[in-house]
DNA sequence: GAGTGGTCTAGACCACAAC
DNA sequence: TTGTGGTCTAGACCACTCG
C-alpha cells in the first residue's frame, strides 16, 4: 500500500487532488484528454472553485496536467508519486521499490566544523559537528557512498543509534527532528581512494554526485550530505514548467 | 538587465512577489529573519490577503521562505533566479552568465521515427522526425553535445534555420512554437566515439547526461533531447520541500 | 490567550481560445 | 459569442506556535 501524500492532512483540496490523480493515472480522461471545467469539478465534489483550484495546482506542479487560460486542462502524463520523505531517506525509497536496503556505518567522528560547514549548517565558528560515512546497498549490492555532516543537536542523536541501524531519518523523526526543505545539486565527480574501496570501482572512475542541504520548519539546517552513486544505479527526474521551475543549471561550482 | 519572470504579466501578485524577492535578496529581513505577517503585507501593498498568499507561494516554491502554521515565515536563502527559458535554451543561459555561447550544427537528418521516439513525441508509427546533432561551446571551449529529435511540425522549421544559427529556441518561439513544460532525467553515461571526437575527451570517459522532453501548452511534445556535458562544466540544482516536490530518484532506467 | 498561517467560501471581472 | 482558466476581493473559521 503506497503512501498517499495527498491524503496526509484532512484538507479538502488534498482529497480532491488525490481523487483526480487516481482518475488520471487510471486513464479515465485519456492519454491527452481534457479535464472537466473547474466549475464542473467544484459541483461534482461539492466544494468551491477555489478549493478545486488548490487541488489542480498540486497536479500541475507534478506535471500531471497543463493549465492555460481559455481552454480546459489537458492531461500531460501519469503520476510519478514520490514523497519528499522517499527522496530523502534511502531506506524509505528502497523499500518503496520493493528492494532491500542495506548499509554499513563505516565511521562516525566528532570534530570541529570547517568554515564551509559552519556556513552551510549556520553554526558559530569552532562548533563541533558529527560526520558519518556510510556505504549503502540495494539487495546486498553496493550502490552509494554517503557522507553526512550533522550539527550537534542532530549529531548527538545519530551517535546514539546502533551501528547496524538501517534507517537514520526515521529515528530522527521520532526524536522530533523534522526535514521539510532541501536544496540539491547534482553533478559528476571522480571516485577517490575511499569511494573506490567501498564501492568496488576504480579510483578516478565517475560517480553521480548529489549534494544536499536539508532544513527543518524553522529554517535551521539539520544535515549536509554528499552522496555518490555508481553509474547506472540511479537517475534523478525533475518536472518543470513556465509556471514553476525549481530547477536550474549552473556553471561548475567547486567542491 | 536581468529578465524578471515575476513581472512578466501585469498580475498584482507577481509584482508583490518581485518586490519581496528583491527585499529578501537585499537582506532586508536578515539571514534567517522573519517576514511580516500576511495581513501586514496585504495592508502594505494595498491588496487582499489572498493576493499576498499567491505571491508568497511563488517564493516558497523557489525555496526562498518557509511556511508553517502558527509562526511567521522565515527567510531560507537568497534567490537563484533562473527562468524556464534560461533552463531550456543553452544560448539564453550562457548569455545570462555573461559567457559567449557558440555552437556548430554537426548534422541534421530526416528519417522515420523508431518506436521509442514515436511514443515520446506521440507520433503515429512510421512518422518522420528531424534529428540534430550539435556541439555547444562556452567562449570557444566545447562543453556539451546535444542530440535533439523534433516532430515534423517543429523539425521543418529547424531545418530552415541557417547552419550557423546559435539559438534555436528563439526562432522557434517566433514561429509560434511554445515551450511550457519539461521533464528532465539526469544521470551519468560513458562517452561514445562521437562524443569523444566532438568534446575532445576519451571514449568511455564519463559525461553528465540530461534527457529532456518538452511540450507546448496543449500538451503536444515539441522536442526530445539528450544533452551530454563534460564533467566539471555544469551542475544542476533543485529545490524541494514537503509541500512541493517535483524531484524524484529512480532506479536505473535504460537508454 | 494572542497572533499566525492554512483552509474554505461566494462572488466578481477579465483575458484568452475556440467555434 | 461562449466557455474557460487567471486574478482579486472580503470575510470566515480553524489549527497551530509561542509566550
Amino acid at each position: 500500500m503506497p503512501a498517499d501524500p495527498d491524503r496526509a492532512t484532512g484538507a479538502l483540496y488534498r482529497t480532491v487532488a488525490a481523487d483526480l490523480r487516481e482518475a488520471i493515472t487510471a486513464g479515465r480522461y485519456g492519454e491527452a484528454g481534457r479535464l472537466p471545467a473547474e466549475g464542473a469539478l467544484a459541483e461534482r465534489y461539492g466544494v468551491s472553485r477555489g478549493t478545486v483550484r488548490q487541488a489542480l495546482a498540486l497536479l500541475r506542479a507534478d506535471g500531471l496536467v497543463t493549465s492555460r487560460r481559455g481552454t480546459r486542462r489537458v492531461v500531460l502524463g501519469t503520476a510519478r508519486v514520490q514523497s519528499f520523505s522517499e527522496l530523502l531517506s534511502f531506506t524509505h525509497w528502497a523499500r518503496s521499490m520493493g528492494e532491500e536496503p542495506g548499509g554499513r556505518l563505516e565511521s562516525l567522528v566528532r570534530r570541529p566544523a570547517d568554515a564551509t560547514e559552519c556556513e552551510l549548517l549556520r553554526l558559530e565558528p569552532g562548533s563541533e559537528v558529527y560526520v558519518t560515512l556510510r556505504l549503502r546497498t540495494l539487495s546486498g549490492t553496493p550502490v552509494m557512498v554517503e557522507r553526512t555532516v550533522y550539527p550537534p543537536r542532530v549529531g548527538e542523536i545519530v551517535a546514539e543509534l546502533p551501528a547496524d541501524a538501517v534507517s537514520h531519518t526515521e529515528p530522527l523523526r521520532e526524536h522530533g527532528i523534522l526535514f521539510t526543505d532541501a536544496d540539491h545539486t547534482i553533478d559528476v565527480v571522480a571516485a577517490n581512494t575511499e569511494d573506490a574501496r567501498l564501492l568496488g570501482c576504480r579510483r578516478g572512475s565517475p560517480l553521480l554526485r548529489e549534494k544536499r542541504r536539508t532544513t527543518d520548519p524553522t529554517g535551521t539546517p539539520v544535515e549536509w550530505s554528499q552522496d555518490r552513486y555508481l553509474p547506472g544505479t540511479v537517475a534523478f527526474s525533475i518536472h518543470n514548467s513556465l509556471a514553476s521551475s525549481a530547477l536550474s543549471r549552473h556553471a561548475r561550482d567547486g567542491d
Side-chain angles (χ1 to χ4, degrees), chain A residues 121-168:
Chain A
L121 296 178
R122 208 185 297 139
L123 296 171
E124 296 298 318
S127 301
E128 298 226 303
V129 289
Y130 291 75
V131 182
T132 62
L133 172 63
R134 293 191 195 95
L135 175 67
R136 300 288 203 169
T137 61
L138 281 183
S139 307
T141 310
V143 163
M144 185 256 279
V145 167
E146 179 186 288
R147 293 184 181 82
T148 311
V149 183
Y150 299 102
R153 181 175 63 103
V154 183
E156 283 157 14
I157 299 167
V158 172
E160 293 301 318
L161 296 177
D164 63 346
V166 178
S167 176
H168 305 83

Side-chain angles (χ1 to χ4, degrees), chain A residues 26-218:
Chain A
R28 224 165 301 157
Y29 294 112
E31 178 66 20
R34 291 154 79 220
L35 248 49
E38 294 177 357
L41 290 172
E43 196 174 356
R44 173 194 303 181
Y45 290 106
V47 300
S48 75
R49 192 182 152 215
T51 299
V52 167
R53 283 181 61 80
Q54 271 187 288
L56 289 169
L58 290 182
L59 305 190
R60 185 181 60 169
D62 282 356
L64 272 173
V65 299
T66 63
S67 65
R68 203 167 47 132
R69 181 147 44 188
T71 55
R72 295 257 186 95
R73 286 167 200 270
V74 173
V75 175
L76 264 186
T78 50
R80 146 209 42 70
V81 179
Q82 184 157 113
S83 66
F84 187 64
S85 149
E86 273 167 340
L87 189 63
L88 291 186
S89 164
F90 184 86
T91 306
H92 189 171
W93 171 68
R95 291 203 177 118
S96 77
M97 293 190 308
E99 292 239 38
E100 186 53 31
R104 198 172 61 209
L105 180 63
E106 295 292 326
S107 68
L108 190 162
V109 302
R110 184 177 154 199
R111 59 162 175 76
D114 65 27
T116 305
E117 290 160 353
C118 281
E119 164 139 12
L120 284 168
L121 296 178
R122 208 185 297 139
L123 296 171
E124 296 298 318
S127 301
E128 298 226 303
V129 289
Y130 291 75
V131 182
T132 62
L133 172 63
R134 293 191 195 95
L135 175 67
R136 300 288 203 169
T137 61
L138 281 183
S139 307
T141 310
V143 163
M144 185 256 279
V145 167
E146 179 186 288
R147 293 184 181 82
T148 311
V149 183
Y150 299 102
R153 181 175 63 103
V154 183
E156 283 157 14
I157 299 167
V158 172
E160 293 301 318
L161 296 177
D164 63 346
V166 178
S167 176
H168 305 83
T169 50
E170 282 173 24
L172 285 174
R173 184 165 37 76
E174 287 161 12
H175 279 78
I177 307 289
L178 299 175
F179 296 70
T180 58
D181 280 82
D183 272 304
H184 312 258
T185 298
I186 299 170
D187 62 3
V188 178
V189 73
N192 63 27
T193 308
E194 194 173 53
D195 297 332
R197 177 174 59 82
L198 293 168
L199 291 171
C201 62
R202 273 204 301 276
R203 193 174 108 87
S205 73
L207 302 173
L208 183 64
R209 172 168 69 169
E210 179 209 2
K211 291 182 286 190
R212 179 180 67 245
R213 181 174 165 276
T214 315
T215 57
D216 72 8
T218 71

Side-chain angles (χ1 to χ4, degrees), chain A residues 225-238:
Chain A
S225 190
Q226 219 189 91
D227 299 354
R228 298 174 173 211
Y229 292 88
L230 278 174
T233 55
V234 307
F236 292 91
S237 290
I238 305 105

